[in-house]
Amino acid sequence: MSETERQETATSPASSEPQDTTAQEVQESAEGSTVKEPQNALTEKFTPKEWDALKAFRNEIPDALASAYPDKSDAKTAAINLWGVTIDPSNLLDARVSVVLMKFLRARNLSVSEGKVMFIATLRWRDEFNVEAACKEEFPQDVFGQLGHIYGKDKAGRPVVYNVYGGNQDLKAIFGDVQRFLRWRVAFMEKSIELLDLESTDQMIQVHDYAGVSMTSRDANSKNAASEASSIFSSHYPELLHKKYFINVPSYMTWIFWLFKPLIPSVTLAKMSVVGSGASTIGKALLPEIDAKQLPKRYGGEAEAF
């Protein structure tokens, strides 16, 4: 299993629940007056329990920033940028900020303390990994040019991201330098996140194509890369996945998936599908989510894509 398989562990919001007006629409200001809670299509689906957790989480943000950046004297008051969203501890009443913070809470079952720990760890990791530099790095096209594609949207407007590990890929070159692969993979994820407006869309669909992958192609480097990538995405990219499809999966990999099925949380498992080979078979799995005009022909759609 890879990347974000274990990161989707929280309960999905139930939009049909009645909303708590006092928690959702009004916040107490420092002066004692009330201000209206900024809303968008995503925050309007927050449940009363989620609003309660979010309000408590906001109070922890200055201390969380101080813990994440201990060498910065103004950490408690300085704004930061995460996934294109400015998080200003002096003014957290922003709908897109609410969407970002809620991801950490949902990933930890609305536990404010555990969400805070995850938030701090993510900010520290982003500094240590130097995500900004990875996003600016030039990666060789002959190695990574055909490895990742962002193409089309699903029927709800979510971007669809393809990782093509099979075909004619030179896996030895891709995974020969594990740290370079991880920098490329993180940069590709950040590029995918840029397509999430966090107003109406905050998740993506991922399709992992394993056509042609064999046991002999999985060496120690590829296994280490998969393990490290899985740790990164489960720990630092919470609640960004809507569904994940494993397609053109060799029989031995299907067997491994079912072996580990009892260990995968049910919420995560519900977002994962292992699909066989061939455009017709793949299309039957993907077309209910993705319109034919948005789906590449190789996967049973009509699009002239990669």
Side-chain angles (χ1 to χ4, degrees):
M1 301 304 100
S2 59
E3 280 100 80
T4 53
E5 293 167 19
R6 299 192 300 271
Q7 74 182 36
E8 307 291 337
T9 57
T11 303
S12 300
S15 58
S16 60
E17 289 189 42
Q19 296 173 336
D20 181 352
T21 301
T22 58
Q24 172 187 342
E25 295 185 353
V26 177
Q27 290 288 320
E28 293 290 335
S29 70
E31 293 77 19
S33 60
T34 58
V35 292
K36 189 169 183 176
E37 179 78 47
Q39 297 287 341
N40 62 28
L42 295 172
T43 62
E44 286 173 355
K45 296 179 182 179
F46 290 0
T47 66
K49 287 184 179 180
E50 287 176 334
W51 280 112
D52 288 344
L54 178 60
K55 289 165 63 180
F57 194 23
R58 284 170 174 161
N59 293 332
E60 298 294 328
I61 295 303
D63 285 340
L65 293 174
S67 296
Y69 307 112
D71 296 331
K72 295 182 179 180
S73 59
D74 63 344
K76 282 190 174 185
T77 56
I80 65 165
N81 186 285
L82 178 60
W83 303 327
V85 175
T86 299
I87 300 177
D88 184 349
S90 67
N91 180 21
L92 295 170
L93 290 180
D94 178 281
R96 295 174 78 234
V97 171
S98 296
V99 171
V100 169
L101 297 181
M102 184 58 67
K103 290 187 175 298
F104 291 91
L105 290 171
R106 286 176 176 166
R108 292 298 180 259
N109 296 311
L110 301 185
S111 168
V112 174
S113 60
E114 292 180 17
K116 179 180 178 181
V117 169
M118 188 183 198
F119 182 69
I120 293 169
T122 293
L123 297 182
R124 287 177 177 172
W125 168 80
R126 292 179 70 85
D127 257 13
E128 293 167 1
F129 190 89
N130 201 342
V131 172
E132 185 176 349
C135 290
K136 295 177 180 178
E137 185 171 344
E138 295 287 338
F139 297 95
Q141 284 297 301
D142 60 328
V143 177
F144 296 100
Q146 297 302 313
L147 190 60
H149 305 272
I150 304 172
Y151 185 87
K153 297 181 179 180
D154 73 358
K155 294 178 180 179
R158 304 179 188 91
V160 184
V161 181
Y162 298 86
N163 289 275
V164 184
Y165 293 112
N168 297 318
Q169 304 285 9
D170 185 348
L171 298 184
K172 299 293 184 182
I174 290 170
F175 298 112
D177 183 336
V178 172
Q179 292 307 309
R180 183 181 67 171
F181 167 78
L182 292 173
R183 292 195 303 275
W184 172 85
R185 187 64 187 86
V186 166
F188 185 58
M189 183 63 170
E190 293 285 324
K191 184 178 179 180
S192 304
I193 293 173
E194 289 177 5
L195 299 179
L196 305 176
D197 61 15
L198 302 177
E199 297 279 353
S200 60
T201 307
D202 67 337
Q203 292 183 320
M204 66 189 74
I205 285 183
Q206 291 183 348
V207 179
H208 283 219
D209 187 347
Y210 289 92
V213 175
S214 65
M215 288 289 286
T216 57
S217 65
R218 283 181 54 79
D219 60 11
N221 276 2
S222 67
K223 292 175 182 177
N224 289 340
S227 177
E228 288 195 47
S230 177
S231 176
I232 287 172
F233 285 94
S234 63
S235 300
H236 306 307
Y237 290 90
E239 291 293 310
L240 289 164
L241 181 67
H242 174 64
K243 284 193 175 180
K244 185 173 207 171
Y245 295 91
F246 300 90
I247 64 173
N248 290 318
V249 177
S251 58
Y252 80 90
M253 291 186 68
T254 302
W255 178 80
I256 291 174
F257 174 82
W258 290 113
L259 180 67
F260 284 95
K261 181 180 176 181
L263 306 178
I264 301 172
S266 59
V267 174
T268 303
L269 194 64
K271 297 184 177 184
M272 295 166 51
S273 297
V274 178
V275 182
S277 302
S280 177
T281 298
I282 296 170
K284 286 180 181 179
L286 299 184
L287 285 171
E289 290 282 342
I290 306 168
D291 188 88
K293 293 181 179 179
Q294 297 285 310
L295 185 65
K297 285 185 175 180
R298 66 163 76 180
Y299 301 136
E302 301 174 0
E304 298 285 354
F306 54 89

